[in-house]
Amino acid sequence: MPMIKSGHEAERMFGEQFEAMVHAEHSVAHRGDAYKLFTEAGLPGRRIESWHYTDLRGLVREALPPAAEPDAAAVAVAKERLKAHEVPGAARFVLLDGTYRPDLSDLAALPAGVTVRPVLDALYTEELDPGLAGAQKLGQPESMLALNSAFLQGGVMIDVAPGTKVEGPIELVLMLSGRAPAATYDRSYIRVGDGASVTLIERHAAFGEAKSLAATVLVASVGDGASFEHLARVDGLGPQALHLGTALVRIGADAQYRATTLVATPGVTRRQAYVEFVGERSSSHLYGVSLLDGRSHADTTLIVTHTAPHCESRELFKHILAGEATGIYQGRVVVAPGAQKTDGKMLSKCIFLGDGANMYNKPELEIFADDVVCGHGATVGALDDDQLFYLRARGIPLREAQAMLLEAFADEAVEAVTVDSVKDEMVARVGDWLRQHGR
């Protein structure tokens, strides 16, 4: 088994943990190749362009041990926390400390045409669906995806049969007990069959504040004529949390993919998505809001690749930064040769609520076709004085006027959410966050 020859303490510790793990279990072949990739690349740092602003070699000084099996007390707390965020009509799958927990999940609302299995059972006993196998290759080679595969603890495999229209959302809750410093490595898959439609709500939270590393991956295959809405909320993690979330999405012909992400948590967050069009006349719409204060750090990195013609991609991300927070937006649209009539646009907007925050925008276009419409834009600044004057001239107090403008700024990125309860929840969270920061 390869071992990292590195002076970096965390990389050496990852090696020791991997050695201990593979000696403790029988099925090691599937993990070996992934770990070899990690040993070759190591933790990504500033010298890797896509990780320049989120330098894991500097941030990760020790390899936290993989999370242990939750005890009865942690399960009891998780049950209580889950009651506070029930989504009407939703089937719920819960991962606690990286592993799937049937006892915390609620499958009563799971409709006909949808099947779910623990991911380890599926990966080790079956050949992966071709669409999912293709999606899983996106973004490779990437050392953190390799680390996720090498230490994979659990997840779910969701299969939506062709033609199935799932009325209520499916919820995937990823909770950390936060009882002791620990790392979690989960990966879930969703195959949306041809002509099917489904909404997946991905919710990340913790009820303890111990130091944590969460490397989480969602692999999605959207079939021809299918529709997939992906809603993610990263909220309530501790200030010592390092959250690394990746979506790998492959889109067929005449299909739709919509994603909305809300990040409102301290610590360090990186949300990255690799999206590829492999069929004609499809669309993807990626939206997000990051609400950051203190010294929190949120990195949004997206690569949307058009390999088929007549497809449309839209990206709209909003940041509201207070304190000494850092926001990052890296978006790249790649148009391959032959992907004619591509329509791709991306926009990043940021509002500062103080002088100590930093925002890095890095939009990119790589175009290898000659009949396309692509563009990007980025803005940073403070609240508009003219708009504030307009509201105050109508008797609205300053703080209320500021809150109105900021809520309108953020709401533009969540208004496309089709699940009313989740949309209302996101809008309310923005309002709560603004009130917490005196707006």
Side-chain angles (χ1 to χ4, degrees), residues 277 281-285 306 310-314 341-344:
F277 292 97
R281 301 175 300 279
S282 295
S283 66
S284 75
H285 291 75
H306 292 254
H310 298 281
C311 292
E312 175 187 277
S313 61
R314 294 288 185 272
K341 304 295 183 183
T342 288
D343 183 353

Side-chain angles (χ1 to χ4, degrees), residues 17 62-71 73-74 96-98 153 175-184 206-214 238 240-242:
Q17 292 173 4
E62 60 177 332
L64 300 177
E69 184 81 8
D71 59 19
L96 179 58
D97 288 342
Q153 295 169 298
M175 302 187 77
L176 303 177
S177 64
R179 300 161 296 165
T184 57
F207 49 86
E209 294 194 349
K211 196 171 186 178
S212 64
L213 162 65
Q240 299 189 88
L242 171 56

Side-chain angles (χ1 to χ4, degrees), residues 89-107:
R92 170 180 279 178
F93 303 93
V94 179
L95 273 63
L96 179 58
D97 288 342
T99 57
Y100 174 52
R101 299 290 307 206
D103 54 338
L104 296 175
S105 301
D106 182 0
L107 310 188

Side-chain angles (χ1 to χ4, degrees), residues 288-289 291 318 320 405-415 430:
V289 177
L291 309 171
K318 302 289 189 73
I320 299 177
L405 293 176
L406 289 168
E407 287 186 28
F409 173 80
D411 289 353
E412 185 185 359
V414 300
E415 65 182 8
V430 172

